[in-house]
Amino acid sequence: FTLLPDVLYRGDVFFSVNLTDSQAGNSEFLPATSQGKMFAIAVQNRAPSFALLAPNVTVDEDSGWFAMPIATNITSEGIAAEHAPDEDPFQLLTFIIAVPPSDLFSQPPRMHANGTLTFEPAPFRFGVVAVNLTLRDAGGTT
């Protein structure tokens, strides 16, 4: 048995199970047994979401400190606040950034909660770097 409630559902759900057994080879049924259980469905921890603006970042030679927004529409529950007003909009979110090993950086790339990527290029280095981002919430959901 699997319960998959609507993502915005909160409240109680009652399940009732009726068991009936028949004797082999005859149509007489033994007395039915009924069991029930109430379940409370609380807020579900849905995956956070964001939109990636630039999966590849171009670094010019001797360009200095780099700061650019590359993620937008960052939500903690994967659903806009106006559609789920009682969600926890302040759940701690952490970007996990993965970039290929590179001698392109003197200070490695760092993602900020507001979606801004920062780093410092190494002297005399330039190129394009592919940015792979994952967003994790305080519950460990990505």
Side-chain angles (χ1 to χ4, degrees):
F1 173 76
T2 302
L3 171 64
L4 297 173
D6 181 86
V7 295
L8 296 178
Y9 181 80
R10 277 135 200 78
D12 293 333
V13 177
F14 184 79
F15 289 96
S16 179
V17 177
N18 295 312
L19 301 175
T20 306
D21 189 11
S22 67
Q23 296 176 2
N26 114 25
S27 60
E28 291 183 32
F29 290 96
L30 296 175
T33 301
S34 181
Q35 294 287 323
K37 178 71 176 166
M38 181 71 74
F39 293 91
I41 298 178
V43 175
Q44 302 171 47
N45 187 19
R46 290 181 295 279
S49 67
F50 67 97
L52 185 61
L53 298 173
N56 296 310
V57 176
T58 301
V59 180
D60 296 327
E61 186 174 0
D62 299 325
S63 58
W65 186 255
F66 180 93
M68 182 175 101
I70 66 165
T72 187
N73 298 330
I74 302 164
T75 65
S76 65
E77 291 290 342
I79 197 161
E82 63 269 15
H83 295 107
D86 51 345
E87 296 295 335
D88 181 2
F90 303 107
Q91 187 169 192
L92 178 64
L93 301 177
T94 305
F95 276 106
I96 301 162
I97 185 168
V99 294
S102 175
D103 61 353
L104 186 63
F105 311 106
S106 64
Q107 290 293 318
R110 180 171 176 238
M111 275 303 295
H112 300 267
N114 67 358
T116 301
L117 172 69
T118 60
F119 60 83
E120 185 174 1
F124 311 111
R125 299 287 187 230
F126 60 92
V128 176
V129 68
V131 178
N132 185 356
L133 290 178
T134 304
L135 186 58
R136 178 177 291 152
D137 68 19
T141 305
T142 58

